[in-house]
Structure formats: structure tokens, C-alpha cells
Amino acid sequence: MSDETVHETLHEIDVDAPAGAVFDLVADAPAWPAHFPPSVHVERLEGDDRQERLRIWATANGEIKTWTSHRVLDPEGLRVTYRQEKSQPPVRGMSGEWQLEPLDERRTRVRFIHRFSAVDDDPRHVEWIRRAIDTNTGSELEALRAGVEDADPRLTFSFDDSVRVDGSAKDAYEFIRAADRWTERLPHVARVVLTEDSPNEQILEMDTRTAAGDIHTTRSVRICFPAERIVYKQIRTPALMAAHTGEWIFEEDEEGCTVTSRHTVRIAPDAVTEVIGEHAGVPEARALIREALGRNSRATLEHAATYARAPRDAGPVSAELYVGVQRFYAEQMRLLDERRAEDWAGTFTEDGVFAQNTGPEPVRGRDAIAAAVRQNLARLSDTPQQRRHVFSMLTVEPGADGAVRARSYAQVLATPPGGPTVLRVSTVCEDELVPYGDAWLVRHRRVEHDGV
């Protein structure tokens, strides 16, 4: 931070709680998502009760940001200092500290100091960072006060639901990751909007039906760790919940895998009587939340298990079917290499989807796919070269209703006039193909680019 201007902010609040209780909450970083609105997920990479390294995901001005911080904890001095080891633009560098001052045995003054520099010292970046700090710190201090002043341990609770899957963790993970397809796969999901501006960082807005037929709208940030787990935090929760975080955990073994849905909820105490009734209390709220969230989680788990089990139940595809899929790809890729955008888009269903980890939004619908191909061809028109799409390492598994799941390595080779040929793109392509007469159409394609 020595080459840029260092800016400093100070925010403070007085709370009616002993300094030791306040310090405990500040020090327990993995618990922040259940208390602090901006925090999505915190992982302790290493450390002890005196120093630690943390990987933090949080929202800032509506965007998902992640960074690694080093913290020094001083319980005797009632201080926690931190320094971001790797910041994310527009932040160039960030450090600061929590300072706790006992006002008496029951009251504490909390000071939260940030010191930061901005990329290129750009005034717009400085303003963006100040706005994010002011917004996030204000909500964090208010949440800190609520957390230590109303410290009823019954308000925060966790629970798990698990299902045993006779299939691969990868397939179960893919069912949960592809939440944009839940309206067609889960009966309790009425509407889904999934955005992924950065790979494996999703924002999911969803309408779910309750047992009584009511619709609840939630909005979540999801962080995906491929084939292992998906962690999330609801940034728009039902009225009864002050906070809701969770994990989908995928554990594979020799016989299959276990998929677990884990919830951590903090009840909004002021909403209990309004939502449930004047005679209700925290126990009734816990029971209602456990039943509602558990019901939806168990339904999702069962559908994920069915999806992951389908390839094993159906057995291997026939040699004839496998060769037919190979022929489909040979013909489809030749259309693209021959720059026939409309014909290539015609190998997708009318409502087909093309998604990739280098783009923020999937392309939906045959017409939109054709337009995207035309745009890409126009972009490449000033660079004379012959491009070849090569599909290999193909696996084909049976799906539901005659569909198949196809997975292959896909590379793009480019040869300028006079050569040499170079590898431009290396990817994994995962398709859902549906039968169309004697051929196939792509209903859903996801392309994972290597190195992203």
C-alpha cells in the first residue's frame, strides 16, 4: 500500500454487553455469516486463538467479493487487527482493526477502523470502496449489537438432512449446482433466476411453494466448490428468519455418495408472534423453520439422488446409440467450422440453453444461440484463420425419458494462413441430448473452460 494514498475510516457503536462477549463474536469469524449481513462464507485456512488466515466471501455494493486476510487476535488488549493478503479490485490494499473499550462492566464501545488504498488511486474507486465500507460496517455494527445484546442461545440453531445416493457425487453436485433448471425438476420451485458473473459464484433468486400453497421469494449468494460442496447465504429471507446460511455437502465412497443439506438459522425474535401467533415463542419458531426448510431440502435431496442414480439404473448405452451421438457431434461441429450459424443453432431445441463458465448468463433459446454465434463469427472475421472444433474422450450415459447425458473434451484449433496450428481453447463440454427422429438435439449445454 506504500505507492498509493492510504485512506482511513472510523465507525463506532456502544453496545449493552461486556467487552469479553463482544470480543468473542468478533473473533469467531466462521460464525459471521449467521450474524453479519454482508458476510457470505468464511473459512479458516490456518491459525490458532492468536493469529489466523481467513478466506472470506462477502457482498459489497451488490457484488460478490472474496479475499484472504491475516488476523492477529489480542483478547487481553481487546483488539483484533487484520490485513488483506490478496484484495479484489477496486481495492488495492486493506487493513484495519477492531478496538473494544469497556465503558463499565456491562457496556462496551466498539470502534472499527479501515485503512485502504484504491487501484490506480482512481477517485471513482475510492468512492466505491468508501460506500461499501460505510454500508457494510454500519450493518455489521448493528448486527453485532443485536447479537450480543439479545444473546438467547436458542435463536441460532443448525440441523442436517442427508440422503444416501447410489450414484456419483459429481452427478448429485451437478443437480444442485444447476439451480436454473429447478423449475423443471423440483415441484416446490415455481420460479428461478440464476446469475453467475464469476465462475462458481452464483446469485439465486427463487420462488418456492409452501405446503399451504403460499409463495415465498428468497435471494441467495452461492459459492460452489466443484463436486465437493456448495455454501450459500440468503440475502433475502422470510420474515421469521434474521439470517439463514447453509451447505450442500457431497461425500463419495466406494458404494456411492452421501449428500447432506445443512442449515444454520438465526430467528428474528420480534417477528415470532406476528408470523406464528401471539402465543408463540422461540420453540414454536424453531419447529416451524425446521419443518419447512427440512421438507424442501429432503425433496431436493431425493430428486438429486434420482438424477444421480439414473445412469446406474439404466446401465450402459448401446454401441449403436454411442456411435449415433458421435455422429451427431461430428456433424454439429462441422456446421460451426463452416460458419453456418443458423444451421448450428438448429441442432439445439427451441428452448435450448448454452452456458459456459466464461459468461455471466446462459444463452437461452435457438434464436438467441444463433445470434450469439453470428456475433462471435463477426468478431473473428478480421483474423484470417481456419478454426476446427475437436470433440474427444466422449462418455454417454442414459438420462430420463430417452435423453442422454454426454460429456467430452472439446478443443478449438486455429490455423492462420501458412500456419502453425495452435490450441486456442480447451474445455469440458457437458450436454443433455434429447432424441429427435433418428438424430439428437441439445437441450442443455454447459462448457467449462480450462484455466478459468
Side-chain angles (χ1 to χ4, degrees), residues 344-393:
W344 188 80
T347 63
F348 286 74
T349 62
E350 287 284 355
D351 60 350
V353 176
F354 185 99
Q356 52 187 335
N357 64 337
T358 56
E361 276 291 316
V363 182
R364 301 178 183 277
R366 184 181 288 166
D367 291 342
I369 291 172
V373 174
R374 289 195 299 270
Q375 182 180 19
N376 191 50
L377 290 174
R379 180 178 60 84
L380 296 171
S381 61
D382 293 337
T383 306
Q385 57 180 288
Q386 177 62 60
R387 295 170 72 88
R388 302 291 186 194
H389 290 72
V390 181
F391 273 46
S392 62
M393 307 299 288

Side-chain angles (χ1 to χ4, degrees), residues 23-39:
F23 182 89
D24 289 344
L25 183 51
V26 171
D28 189 8
W32 286 356
H35 295 276
F36 295 166
S39 298

Side-chain angles (χ1 to χ4, degrees), residues 252-328:
E252 192 161 66
D253 54 44
E254 295 179 356
E255 303 298 326
C257 69
T258 299
V259 185
T260 299
S261 170
R262 176 168 298 156
H263 299 269
T264 297
V265 174
R266 187 162 54 83
I267 297 169
D270 295 339
V272 172
T273 56
E274 179 181 349
V275 174
I276 306 178
E278 60 178 340
H279 299 297
V282 172
E284 289 77 15
R286 288 171 63 111
L288 178 62
I289 291 170
R290 174 66 176 93
E291 192 280 329
L293 293 181
R295 181 179 63 250
N296 285 348
S297 290
R298 290 189 295 273
T300 303
L301 288 169
E302 289 298 333
H303 282 83
T306 299
Y307 177 87
R309 188 169 55 241
R312 292 193 181 184
D313 288 348
V317 300
S318 67
E320 181 181 5
L321 189 154
Y322 184 88
V323 171
V325 172
Q326 283 185 313
R327 183 182 302 113
F328 166 78

Side-chain angles (χ1 to χ4, degrees), residues 403-435:
V404 298
R405 306 176 203 165
R407 185 177 191 271
S408 58
Y409 292 173
Q411 289 86 33
V412 179
L413 304 177
T415 307
T421 299
V422 296
L423 175 65
R424 289 296 186 192
V425 178
S426 176
T427 71
V428 174
C429 179
E430 297 188 347
D431 282 349
E432 182 181 23
L433 305 178
V434 295

